[in-house]
Amino acid sequence: MEKQWWKKAVIYQVYPRSFQDTNGDGIGDIPGIIKRLDYLEDLGVDAIWLSPVYQSPQDDNRYDISDYQDIYPPFGTIQNMEELIVEAQKRHIGIIMDLVLNHSSDEHFWFQEAKKSRNNPYHDYYVWRDGEEGCPPNDMQSGFGGSAWEWVPELRQYYFHQFSIKQPDLNWYNPALRQELYDVVNWWIDKGVAGFRLDVIDQIAKDPDTGSITDNPNLHPFIKELSRNTFGKVDLNLVSVGETWSATPENAPLFSNPDGSELSMVFQFEHMVLDQQGRVKWDLTPLPFIQLKQTLSTWQTALHGKAWNSLFWDNHDLPRIVSRWGDEGEYRVISAKMFATLLHGMEGTPYIYQGEELGMTNIRLPIEGYRDLETRNIYRFRMKQGYPEEEIMRSIYAQSRDNARTPMQWDDSAQAGFTTGEPWIAVNPNYKQINAAAQVRDEHSVYSYYKKLIRLRKEIPVIVDGVYELLLAEDPSVFAYTRTNDTQKLIVICNFYGQECEIDIPALVPEGSELLLANYEDEGTMNQFRPYEARMYLFPITV
Ligand code: TEU
Ligand code: CA
């Protein structure tokens, strides 16, 4: 494996519960992923980011792990997992395990022991504070609503949970706990995985007394120690991706220094929260487009040569990009390809979330149809607070995590070929129009377009290493930029909106450039950009 192979890689995220069911219980499983490896090989991806498959009571779909070294039975067994790793390897696809080291499930053996008594050896694996019932140590709120402190009457103590009550935070200040976690990581390394995605890794050094969750003095020492003892050992050549909501262009080089002492790359969301009021995901405001350009461009420029970034529009926590900022209707295919072009020309490692390569869309369900605890909680909280129900549902349609979690649409048979039984969450009714089988055989499909973009990244060095420059920064509808190295210049020009616009192409694209890729079949008119039109040009620099 080439060193830093992940700089040229494209990573595909699989959310196993919704990917492919093979035994008719309505739940995706590991044999289902194995069954679809040929599809992923054809697409051309280098690695799979596998959302958690561990043993878990499913409060938060396995982001609440009760055994890091066992598999959630409906997904399969450790043997299935070993087979997946081997079968993927045969197709040159690495498996990136999603590890949640910030918290465990309350049903984990450690927590079961921890709450037996204050003297139990596992007690200090978690974050406890003394207090009085009904009077938590402070008013910190959990990510999924309600107090971040939960009272345990037997101990007359509170434990801290940044996420749900069933996700108690682990106490990283305890060296014994840290060693347990390293053992877990190394156990997975021995199974032959290609690396790790580390859930909310910027929160492990939290100080719940001051309320400071992310930027604490011990954060980077902790990550360094983790890396040194596990995936960071150089001969392993593993990839490590840190989910880091708090990363900034300034501190990203700490997390992902090219010296390899911490993580391969950050995965941060600054561009994905711009359409929210006060960072409350349910309170939306129109996307400030100029700011989106600035944000993405700042990250491009600030990290060049100093750190490495992830490129994404979608994941299992985010709504579908075509529904969010593109067009789910007439221009669904065109806008899906525009978003792909815009992102895949940038510096960083692109991520494709399952179904994004088909242009899958959001879903609208009656409230009983939603499965995600965050969605159910916000509905309850806001109903209690007296919000009008239509307004709550509008927020949920736009932002619920279940938008991304409906089953993968494989073909136009019943339940989209996802299951022969009752799916755990509804299949999007548009599967007859939007499905993989149809797109794989159609050279003009969103799928085929992603395939080309993935290939271009392998063939054209400037896509990996070029210096980024934003063009037309103030243009209200065009997102255009160049990437330049010694021998090539890549020019990416996208109309971000559904109205035509005029662009002076000869001013941006030097004569002698080749049109590498475009999202309309016919060339159209040079300076007239149609709705969501995207073009990618390559100019050979003669030296
Ligand atoms: O998400 C981290 C996180 O901060 C979430 O609260 C995120 O803000 C939320 O999903 C937005 O709606 C990670 C995982 O990606 C997520 O699926 C888990 O629920 C969460 O950690 C807890 O493990
Ligand atoms: Ca199943």
Side-chain angles (χ1 to χ4, degrees):
M1 235 358 182
E2 197 177 330
K3 269 197 88 180
Q4 301 197 323
W5 55 274
W6 35 268
K7 287 196 172 175
K8 289 187 186 159
V10 175
I11 298 177
Y12 187 94
Q13 185 187 354
V14 168
Y15 194 72
R17 197 178 184 95
S18 304
F19 196 59
Q20 174 72 70
D21 176 27
T22 55
N23 63 352
D25 66 356
I27 297 176
D29 43 50
I30 295 170
I33 304 172
I34 296 172
K35 179 175 157 193
R36 295 300 183 177
L37 284 172
D38 291 339
Y39 169 85
L40 297 178
E41 184 185 23
D42 180 68
L43 182 58
V45 298
D46 304 272
I48 293 172
W49 155 15
L50 187 64
S51 275
V53 292
Y54 316 97
Q55 183 62 279
S56 156
Q58 302 300 302
D59 185 53
D60 185 20
N61 283 352
R62 296 156 316 286
Y63 284 88
D64 50 321
I65 301 173
S66 56
D67 188 343
Y68 291 87
Q69 286 153 301
D70 204 356
I71 303 295
Y72 173 58
F75 285 3
T77 60
I78 284 289
Q79 287 70 36
N80 292 143
M81 197 53 223
E82 287 166 349
E83 191 191 340
L84 172 62
I85 293 167
V86 170
E87 287 300 316
Q89 249 160 19
K90 284 188 195 159
R91 294 163 179 84
H92 309 286
I93 297 173
I95 299 290
I96 299 172
M97 298 300 283
D98 195 335
L99 267 181
V100 189
L101 305 180
N102 176 70
H103 46 270
S104 75
S105 164
D106 63 337
E107 296 182 33
H108 194 289
F109 166 76
W110 301 335
F111 192 75
Q112 294 298 309
E113 288 293 307
K115 62 174 201 197
K116 282 184 181 159
S117 87
R118 295 183 182 208
N119 303 323
N120 188 287
Y122 293 98
H123 185 260
D124 196 35
Y125 276 32
Y126 294 88
V127 181
W128 301 95
R129 293 291 180 272
D130 295 345
E132 287 302 319
E133 185 167 11
C135 188
N138 56 39
D139 61 5
M140 286 190 67
Q141 296 293 300
S142 98
F144 295 142
S147 170
W149 297 100
E150 182 69 9
W151 177 246
V152 178
E154 306 87 272
L155 297 179
R156 300 199 54 77
Q157 280 186 314
Y158 284 91
Y159 68 84
F160 181 76
H161 60 93
Q162 179 59 28
F163 296 95
S164 95
I165 290 169
K166 289 181 67 61
Q167 292 167 304
D169 278 54
L170 291 162
N171 175 19
W172 272 69
Y173 292 87
N174 177 348
L177 175 271
R178 297 206 298 279
Q179 188 56 51
E180 294 258 21
L181 295 177
Y182 305 158
D183 292 347
V184 163
V185 179
N186 286 323
W187 189 82
W188 281 105
I189 291 175
D190 289 343
K191 297 233 171 278
V193 301
F196 300 92
R197 178 263 185 187
L198 300 152
D199 195 63
V200 291
I201 196 68
D202 56 348
Q203 303 191 5
I204 55 177
K206 67 194 68 73
D207 180 349
D209 298 317
T210 62
S212 161
I213 296 296
T214 52
D215 299 311
N216 292 304
N218 278 293
L219 176 59
H220 294 287
F222 282 165
I223 299 178
K224 281 198 172 70
E225 190 190 273
L226 165 66
S227 168
R228 203 167 53 236
N229 283 283
T230 60
F231 49 73
K233 296 175 194 155
V234 273
D235 51 319
L236 293 172
N237 204 7
L238 299 180
V239 64
S240 51
V241 187
E243 190 200 20
T244 46
W245 285 77
S246 69
T248 62
E250 293 74 39
N251 73 18
L254 293 175
F255 290 104
S256 105
N257 194 305
D259 74 5
S261 59
E262 292 193 26
L263 306 169
S264 311
M265 66 185 102
V266 292
F267 195 103
Q268 56 73 35
F269 298 78
E270 198 181 336
H271 62 299
M272 296 315 292
V273 296
L274 295 172
D275 60 354
Q276 303 173 5
Q277 299 173 28
R279 279 223 159 177
V280 177
K281 70 180 263 183
W282 309 106
D283 298 333
L284 289 172
T285 172
L287 175 70
F289 178 60
I290 304 288
Q291 213 179 321
L292 176 75
K293 292 200 275 186
Q294 275 160 4
T295 301
L296 286 167
S297 303
T298 302
W299 278 92
Q300 287 289 300
T301 307
L303 270 57
H304 185 77
K306 300 197 187 94
W308 198 253
N309 203 358
S310 306
L311 305 169
F312 66 95
W313 298 120
D314 283 0
N315 77 7
H316 65 293
D317 294 333
L318 300 171
R320 298 282 183 178
I321 193 64
V322 283
S323 304
R324 184 172 186 177
W325 294 341
D327 182 348
E328 317 182 297
E330 190 185 351
Y331 295 110
R332 184 185 60 82
V333 170
I334 293 287
S335 67
K337 291 177 181 175
M338 184 277 287
F339 284 108
T341 315
L342 186 51
L343 200 78
H344 283 247
M346 290 187 179
E347 177 172 307
T349 300
Y351 286 72
I352 301 170
Y353 177 71
Q354 64 184 45
E356 178 187 335
E357 79 281 18
L358 308 176
M360 275 177 63
T361 65
N362 283 353
I363 195 167
R364 290 177 178 213
L365 295 168
I367 188 65
E368 311 75 47
Y370 288 91
R371 301 284 173 260
D372 180 28
L373 87 159
E374 187 191 42
T375 303
R376 293 198 310 260
N377 284 353
I378 196 69
Y379 181 83
R380 250 187 314 116
F381 291 142
R382 291 206 159 176
M383 284 299 277
K384 226 188 292 168
Q385 286 164 4
Y387 282 74
E389 189 173 9
E390 315 82 76
E391 190 185 321
I392 304 175
M393 290 314 291
R394 231 178 302 128
S395 299
I396 289 176
Y397 296 153
Q399 286 286 70
S400 170
R401 304 195 295 183
D402 281 341
N403 283 311
R405 300 176 182 186
T406 63
M408 180 73 178
Q409 294 165 207
W410 291 108
D411 57 41
D412 64 3
S413 69
Q415 310 296 4
F418 165 69
T419 179
T420 54
E422 253 325 289
W424 71 279
I425 187 171
V427 171
N428 195 313
N430 62 21
Y431 70 92
K432 296 235 187 245
Q433 292 80 52
I434 306 173
N435 64 70
Q439 294 200 24
V440 166
R441 47 175 194 260
D442 173 5
E443 58 171 324
H444 303 307
S445 64
V446 181
Y447 175 87
S448 297
Y449 196 85
Y450 267 89
K451 205 170 149 171
K452 282 182 210 146
L453 279 169
I454 296 168
R455 210 183 49 226
L456 287 178
R457 182 163 287 262
K458 309 260 178 280
E459 291 170 355
I460 298 179
V462 73
I463 298 182
V464 176
D465 65 16
V467 173
Y468 174 96
E469 192 192 344
L470 179 67
L471 306 174
L472 308 176
E474 298 305 322
D475 190 293
S477 55
V478 178
F479 201 139
Y481 62 87
T482 56
R483 303 278 312 285
T484 314
N485 65 14
D486 291 343
T487 57
Q488 299 175 309
K489 187 188 206 64
L490 181 85
I491 305 123
V492 177
I493 306 173
C494 298
N495 176 3
F496 200 86
Y497 288 101
Q499 292 81 40
E500 289 203 358
C501 67
E502 179 83 24
I503 305 173
D504 184 359
I505 291 298
L508 305 181
V509 182
E511 209 168 315
S513 299
E514 170 199 356
L515 181 65
L516 277 180
L517 195 65
N519 63 348
Y520 276 84
E521 298 316 322
D522 63 291
E523 267 190 38
T525 330
M526 161 106 80
N527 290 350
Q528 204 62 35
F529 267 57
R530 289 161 283 185
Y532 303 105
E533 182 159 352
R535 299 184 206 162
M536 192 179 253
Y537 296 91
L538 186 67
F539 178 69
I541 297 172
T542 38
V543 262

